[in-house]
Every structure is written in structure tokens, then in C-alpha cells.
Amino acid sequence: MFKTRLRDFLFTKDDWLFAVSDYFRKDGIRATLRYVPDENGERELNGKRYKKYDFGPAFEFMKQNRPEWVQDVHVVPESEVKKVLRPSDCIPELVNSDSRVRAIVKVLDMAEIPRTSMGVTGSMLAGLQNESSDVDFVVYGPMWFRARDAIAVAKQQEGPIEELDEDMWQRIYRKRIPEISFDEFMLHESRKGNRGMVEGTYFDLLFVREWDQIKEPLLRGKDTVKMKIEAEVKNADFAFDSPSYYKVEHDEIDHVLSYTHTYAGQALPGEIIEARGVVEEFGDMKRLVVGTSREPKGEWIRSLTWLEKCGYI
């Protein structure tokens, strides 16, 4: 059995490339199609051209070519997997070949973060990056928070690590199309510290659980009604995970989950949040799920505590 976790990549026997989208598997490896060989593709790997598929077109392609693999994500049979690409495995090569990755790694080295806790995913992991590719930098487990703090310090110093400019923030906001205003979006983002620029390239510091943090699968329940709640966040250890995971104090709702990256790290323990999403019933437990579609309408998470502290409300 292949050992996989979130943000690994899979090469199938058809040379299709999938990004692993879950820590757990059922009937196969849960993933999302990203690249397919195509003679007219804009990327190249080992002399073969590839086409990149965004979320919607990827599902259309899979429905036409492997409909039996299509569920809420794409479920790849293990028998079809030729190779697993792990983000941590490509660090040595990228440190030697890419100055942007080298600059990030240097900052994390100084913070005494083991290189085995670092990785790069996305097009760089697949070897299909181009000049416009972002750097999707992974840090595993609790070391992520130390890495985030080290990056924040580096942004304040002279060097290749910088804060995002206004144009880049606008680009991210337009891409996400959140249900909160740009000003409110920026107030929340201002304290997260998981985004930056390196030598003019955008990078994201992505959280992935360490193996010992992967306990039990997040089983799906039954979607019921939409609801808006106010609740106190009791635990946010996995607020930057995918999905983001907040344990809350509320009469009905046990957890708030976000499947959209916009609301990762949106609130801290002890803060009061306002959240609107779909109530999911699982046994005796109820969760509020935000991000039930790619561009969720009428769904959000706001830290009322933080917005009040900033004088926004």
C-alpha cells in the first residue's frame, strides 16, 4: 500500500498527475486531477507536453474519461498509481536549482526547522513549473507555526522575503471571491502570516499534518440546512489545515469546518466568530461546513473579536 497524505502527488499509469486531497482513503486515494499529457499543452516534463486542469475542467475531463473515479473528489485506485511524489523529497534538488526555494529554506534553517519538515508541492513538485508558477511551500505539523513566525521576521529585514503588495492582495481576493469585503478580508489576512513574496514570486506557507497527527478520518454526515451562528473558538490547532478545523462552544454546533482556503487561520482560540454555512449532521454531532462549493455564496467565517479590536465593527 502506498503511504500518502495531503499535498502529495500521484503519477498514474496513464501519466496523469493528481494532487492528493485527503489524509485518508476509501476505495482508493482521494485526489484531484491537475495535469494530463497533451501535445498542445503549455507545460513540459521529460520531453512530454502536459495540460494543466483547473478544478471545474478537471471534473469534466474525469466524467468523460474515468467516470467511475468521480465522487466529491477523484478517487484513484491504488492499482493505477505508478509513483507517489512527496513534497519533502524534492527539497534537496530545489535548494540547488531554484534560488526562491533556497531563500525560503535558508530562513527556516536559521529557525532550526528540520529539512525533513519542509516540502514543496504543486507544479514544482511535479516538475511542471514555468516562469509564472507560484511557490507552494509545505511545512509539516507544529513546525509550521515556527516557520510562519520565521517568515514574518524575514519580511521585516532586508532580503528576498517580502510582504505582498496591494496588487497581489487584490489578485488573491478576486480569485477567492469571498463573501466579505476586501477591507475585512485584509484585516483577517494581516495577522495570518502564511503568504509572502520571494524574489518577486508569490508563495504560500501550507500546513500539512505530521504522521502522528493523522488520527481518524473526517467522515461525511448528512447536509441539512444553512445556518448562521456566533460561537467561541475553543481550539484552532488545525485552523490552517485543509479543511480548516475549529472546535467551538455552541449550543448546537460542535465544529466549524472550512473547505475554502480563504478562511484558513481566520480566528484564534478564545475569539468569538460569526460563521454561516451548511449544517452537517453526523450521529449525535452537528458541524457547520463553510465552502460547500468552489465559490461558496452566502458562506463565511469572521472573527468578531478581531474586527472589533481593529475598530471595524
Side-chain angles (χ1 to χ4, degrees), residues 47-234:
K48 184 181 289 188
R49 302 200 73 80
Y50 280 79
K51 179 179 179 179
K52 182 179 180 180
Y53 279 82
D54 291 329
F55 191 81
F59 269 81
E60 291 304 314
F61 178 92
M62 291 299 293
K63 286 174 183 175
Q64 293 176 14
N65 293 277
R66 290 287 191 282
E68 68 276 16
W69 294 10
V70 178
Q71 296 182 19
D72 57 322
V73 292
H74 308 143
V75 181
V76 182
E78 194 166 313
S79 60
E80 292 296 317
V81 177
K82 184 166 64 174
K83 186 178 182 181
V84 176
L85 306 179
R86 297 181 175 87
S88 55
D89 291 345
C90 68
I91 284 290
E93 179 187 342
L94 287 172
V95 165
N96 289 329
S97 64
D98 193 290
S99 60
R100 299 165 300 176
V101 173
R102 186 161 56 248
I104 297 171
V105 169
K106 182 179 179 181
V107 170
L108 303 194
D109 281 345
M110 292 175 66
E112 299 183 349
I113 295 169
R115 291 197 178 183
T116 52
S117 294
M118 307 178 198
V120 176
T121 189
S123 59
M124 283 189 168
L125 175 58
L128 286 162
Q129 68 269 32
N130 60 20
E131 291 180 359
S132 65
S133 296
D134 299 332
V135 179
D136 300 315
F137 202 94
V138 170
V139 180
Y140 293 97
M143 286 293 172
W144 185 91
F145 296 94
R146 186 189 292 187
R148 188 262 309 269
D149 293 345
I151 291 295
V153 171
K155 288 177 185 175
Q156 304 305 315
Q157 301 170 346
E158 284 292 323
I161 308 290
E162 299 177 323
E163 185 53 86
L164 275 61
D165 60 23
E166 175 81 7
D167 288 344
M168 182 59 70
W169 280 122
Q170 289 282 359
R171 182 186 122 183
I172 294 167
Y173 181 78
R174 288 194 300 269
K175 180 180 179 182
R176 295 291 174 184
I177 322 177
E179 288 287 272
I180 56 178
S181 70
F182 179 73
D183 287 345
E184 194 170 316
F185 169 78
M186 284 303 305
L187 285 174
H188 283 93
E189 292 297 322
S190 66
R191 63 176 181 169
K192 293 182 185 180
N194 60 322
R195 309 179 197 266
M197 301 291 287
V198 56
E199 296 181 7
T201 298
Y202 170 75
F203 74 90
D204 214 341
L205 207 61
L206 300 167
F207 176 95
V208 174
R209 297 189 190 198
E210 273 290 7
W211 292 111
D212 62 2
Q213 293 179 307
I214 302 172
K215 304 291 187 182
E216 56 190 31
L218 183 67
L219 300 175
R220 287 281 290 148
K222 177 186 176 184
D223 291 346
T224 57
V225 297
K226 283 213 169 187
M227 179 187 282
K228 184 173 77 171
I229 67 168
E230 289 187 15
E232 181 183 349
V233 175
K234 305 303 288 186

Side-chain angles (χ1 to χ4, degrees), residues 210-274:
E210 273 290 7
W211 292 111
D212 62 2
Q213 293 179 307
I214 302 172
K215 304 291 187 182
E216 56 190 31
L218 183 67
L219 300 175
R220 287 281 290 148
K222 177 186 176 184
D223 291 346
T224 57
V225 297
K226 283 213 169 187
M227 179 187 282
K228 184 173 77 171
I229 67 168
E230 289 187 15
E232 181 183 349
V233 175
K234 305 303 288 186
N235 184 288
D237 288 352
F238 297 115
F240 285 93
D241 200 5
S242 181
S244 307
Y245 198 79
Y246 304 88
K247 169 72 174 172
V248 298
E249 183 78 34
H250 187 267
D251 290 343
E252 291 185 65
I253 302 300
D254 189 72
H255 289 85
V256 175
L257 275 63
S258 174
Y259 283 89
T260 173
H261 195 50
T262 304
Y263 304 118
Q266 196 78 341
L268 302 176
E271 294 186 347
I272 303 299
I273 60 169
E274 177 189 88

